[in-house]
Every structure is written in structure tokens, then in C-alpha cells.
Amino acid sequence: MSETVLEMKEVHVRYDTDDGVVHAVRGVTYSVSLDETLAIVGESGCGKSQSSFAAMGLIQPPGRVPAGEILFREKPGADTVNVLKFHRNSRQMRRLRGGKIAMIFQEPMTALSPVHRIGMHLDEVLCLHTNLGKQERFERACQLLTDVGIPDAEKRYHQYSFEFSGGMRQRIMIAVALACNPRVLFADEPTTGLDVTIQAQILELIKKLQRESRMAVVLITHDLAVVAETADRVAVMYLGRIVELADVDTIFATPKHPYTIALMKSVIGSPLADDGRLQVIRGSVPPPLEHVPGCPFHPRCDSFMPGVCDKVIPEFLPADEKTITACHLYSKKNGN
């Protein structure tokens, strides 16, 4: 087994608003190792991105991380540090963010500054996290642009983001994220809005760079086809909680949680859809301020057990040797 490089333990993220408290993340626990790709999937608003923002120190007021630990191992064999102990603007956090822990943000059309040249985005991260001189940073930036498939890198270095297509901007964001060979890469919807050919190229590029630098990758996506092709393990989130965690083959072949089963049935060609037709998950995700007692999925669950699912929050326990899930169907099997 590769060394664990990042571990989340019961992490919570909440936003105290004038209308009430929004619990964006509710006790998320997972780990990711070097060379591994962990995919986090779920419907919009389930807390996928918020959990990664917590690890990056990017939760801003009125948001906060009131509980949990995020343990990061900066070097092989080194002790872990809890990044939540660092203020988001502290020297320690700024040293890790962008250098050792990096992120490809979700929207390439807006994540890059329209008033700064592409080279500035790369030069800034290299200036902050390396000891390279100005000419060395320029050469490194051009090499990064070439590595991600940007032709004529020296010319492109001096251009602005609006002079690039969406696919090219996504490549630039990857170059910025990988500039300092991070130990952990959060890839937040890295292929959203791109055509199929560009998607395949982007995913292959991330896998290639992962192999070369032995990164741990946390892939945040809605696209289950991308998950099947790239992930080693999968965490399924619903309303701020991880409801199922297993290796990718197990998740697709024998999902356990009713929500995961419903997600798999909504995939084109899924063997779980007996009649060959796409199925939809009935109901909708509750509003952020609404409190759902018991299991958060019970209002939409086909396996709902009155008096249990609507009263008690299920524990996150092994369903079998390969799967951990938060569901009363398996809590009963464990004697709870």
C-alpha cells in the first residue's frame, strides 16, 4: 500500500447566515494515498467542493470549519500536520496551498484573471513556492505550457486568458496547479463544459502527470463515466455526508446504499437498469436551510423504514469487506 498523504476526519463546514445555519459538510471522513485517485461524486450542493476548500484553507466568512481534522503528510515518512490548525492566511497555510496542496478550480472561463497575462499566473505560483530566478521561472512556465499541450508556449505566455478557448484555459489551470509538483491535487470538475475529445485529453494528461510525480488526486465530478475510467476508489456524498465508500469496481458492480444504487441506475447502459431505460431519483435535494431528521436520504429512498430512517442518523460502518456505508439496512446486519 502507498503511503497515506491526506486524511480527513469528521470534518464539518458550516455557514452562519442571517436566515439560519447551512451545514455544507457534515462529518466527512476519507483518506487518499500517493499514486491514488479518489473520486467524490454526488448531486450539486452535496458538499463535494466545500470539503476540498476546507483542505485548501479557502473557507471564508461567514463559513467556518468548526470540527474535524485534516491531516497532511508533507514528505514521505514525515509526521502529519493538521492543516485546520493554521489560519487560512497564515504563512504555514500559504506555503502549503498551491505548493504542496493544489487545486484545479471548477470553471476555467472565470478562474483565470482577464486582466493579467497567462505567464503571470504561472510566475506567481513559482515565485511563491520555489527559489527559481526570473529567467528560470519563465523557462519553467513555458515548459509547463508545453507539457499540457499549449503550442508556441513562449508566445502564449504573454497572452491573456480571453485569447484562449475553454479547453486551452483548462490546460492552463492544470499547468498552474501542477507547477510545483504538489503532493495532493484536488481536481474540481476538470472536464465540465469540454467536448468529449478534449475531456479525454485532459484526463489522460492528469493521469500522465500523476504517474510522473506520484501525486494523490481527489477528483470531484458528476460524471460517472469519468469516474469509471480514472478512479481507484469512490466516495458518494449526499447532503454533506459520505454515504458510501468503496473501490471503483465494487461501486459500479454491487453498490450498497440506496442513493448509490439510484445514481448507478441513472447511467446510460447501466446493468442495474433492468428494462434498459434511464431512471430518475424521485424528489429533489432539500433546500440548504432545511433540516432532515434521521437519514438525510430517507424522503427519497425506496427502502425507507418508518420509525428508523426518519428518526436515527445511520452510522458509517462496513457493509462487507469492500464497502463502508451509512445505511440502516446494513446497521441492522451489524447488530445496531
Side-chain angles (χ1 to χ4, degrees), residues 30-173:
Y30 68 76
S31 63
V32 61
S33 303
L34 292 177
D35 304 316
E36 181 184 28
T37 297
L38 172 70
I40 302 180
V41 302
E43 292 171 277
S44 295
C46 71
K48 304 186 299 296
S49 296
Q50 290 295 314
S51 61
S52 64
F53 289 163
M56 294 285 292
L58 294 175
I59 301 296
Q60 300 185 42
R64 60 192 182 94
V65 185
E69 292 183 313
I70 301 178
L71 305 178
F72 174 65
R73 196 183 309 277
E74 187 173 344
K75 297 178 181 179
D79 292 335
T80 58
V81 295
N82 182 7
V83 300
L84 292 182
K85 290 185 177 181
F86 303 145
H87 186 274
R88 61 190 177 88
N89 290 326
S90 67
R91 179 179 298 178
Q92 299 98 319
M93 195 66 235
R94 285 186 281 115
R95 183 177 62 83
L96 294 178
R97 182 173 54 232
K100 300 296 183 180
I101 309 174
M103 188 168 189
I104 303 170
F105 291 96
Q106 186 171 139
E107 180 47 73
M109 305 304 283
T110 58
L112 298 172
S113 169
V115 297
H116 294 93
R117 300 178 194 275
I118 292 303
M120 188 284 295
H121 294 78
L122 290 158
D123 187 73
E124 182 179 39
V125 69
L126 291 170
C127 186
L128 288 171
H129 298 290
T130 72
N131 295 318
L132 298 176
K134 185 176 181 179
Q135 181 60 31
E136 292 174 308
R137 295 198 304 271
F138 172 75
E139 292 172 358
R140 169 67 173 156
C142 290
Q143 184 59 55
L144 285 164
L145 292 175
T146 300
D147 289 344
V148 298
I150 303 292
D152 201 3
E154 292 189 10
K155 176 184 176 182
R156 293 293 204 170
Y157 179 95
H158 298 287
Q159 293 182 322
Y160 294 92
S161 61
F162 57 79
E163 299 180 78
F164 293 80
S165 67
M168 287 292 192
R169 294 190 207 189
Q170 190 69 277
R171 292 169 185 267
I172 292 165
M173 290 173 59

Side-chain angles (χ1 to χ4, degrees), residues 52-327:
S52 64
F53 289 163
M56 294 285 292
L58 294 175
I59 301 296
Q60 300 185 42
R64 60 192 182 94
V65 185
E69 292 183 313
I70 301 178
L71 305 178
F72 174 65
R73 196 183 309 277
E74 187 173 344
K75 297 178 181 179
D79 292 335
T80 58
V81 295
N82 182 7
V83 300
L84 292 182
K85 290 185 177 181
F86 303 145
H87 186 274
R88 61 190 177 88
N89 290 326
S90 67
R91 179 179 298 178
Q92 299 98 319
M93 195 66 235
R94 285 186 281 115
R95 183 177 62 83
L96 294 178
R97 182 173 54 232
K100 300 296 183 180
I101 309 174
M103 188 168 189
I104 303 170
F105 291 96
Q106 186 171 139
E107 180 47 73
M109 305 304 283
T110 58
L112 298 172
S113 169
V115 297
H116 294 93
R117 300 178 194 275
I118 292 303
M120 188 284 295
H121 294 78
L122 290 158
D123 187 73
E124 182 179 39
V125 69
L126 291 170
C127 186
L128 288 171
H129 298 290
T130 72
N131 295 318
L132 298 176
K134 185 176 181 179
Q135 181 60 31
E136 292 174 308
R137 295 198 304 271
F138 172 75
E139 292 172 358
R140 169 67 173 156
C142 290
Q143 184 59 55
L144 285 164
L145 292 175
T146 300
D147 289 344
V148 298
I150 303 292
D152 201 3
E154 292 189 10
K155 176 184 176 182
R156 293 293 204 170
Y157 179 95
H158 298 287
Q159 293 182 322
Y160 294 92
S161 61
F162 57 79
E163 299 180 78
F164 293 80
S165 67
M168 287 292 192
R169 294 190 207 189
Q170 190 69 277
R171 292 169 185 267
I172 292 165
M173 290 173 59
I174 292 173
V176 173
L178 299 178
C180 299
N181 296 320
R183 298 261 289 169
V184 178
L185 174 68
F186 289 97
D188 192 355
E189 300 283 2
T191 60
T192 297
L194 302 180
D195 61 63
V196 176
T197 303
I198 299 300
Q199 280 189 24
Q201 292 175 1
I202 294 294
L203 292 172
E204 183 55 40
L205 172 64
I206 292 175
K207 287 194 288 185
K208 173 179 177 291
L209 296 173
Q210 181 185 25
R211 290 192 298 268
E212 292 174 352
S213 58
R214 299 203 64 203
M215 285 187 305
V217 175
V218 179
L219 175 66
I220 300 166
T221 183
H222 292 93
D223 193 331
L224 294 178
V226 169
V227 171
E229 196 165 317
T230 62
D232 299 300
R233 289 187 300 135
V234 183
V236 181
M237 286 189 69
Y238 186 78
L239 275 191
R241 295 183 174 94
I242 292 180
V243 297
E244 186 162 356
L245 179 64
D247 66 84
V248 65
D249 293 334
T250 299
I251 281 282
F252 279 88
T254 56
K256 297 294 190 295
H257 195 280
Y259 177 59
T260 311
I261 294 171
L263 283 179
M264 296 304 160
K265 287 183 176 181
S266 69
V267 178
I268 296 174
S270 170
L272 299 180
D274 296 333
D275 58 2
R277 296 185 177 184
L278 292 181
Q279 299 188 27
V280 297
I281 305 174
R282 61 184 175 87
S284 58
V285 178
L289 292 171
E290 182 178 325
H291 172 67
V292 180
C295 173
F297 187 61
H298 83 261
R300 309 172 69 188
C301 183
D302 294 332
S303 302
F304 168 61
M305 296 180 288
V308 179
C309 297
D310 54 349
K311 300 293 184 183
V312 182
I313 298 174
E315 295 184 62
F316 196 51
L317 297 169
D320 56 29
E321 294 180 354
K322 295 183 177 181
T323 304
I324 307 173
T325 188
C327 181

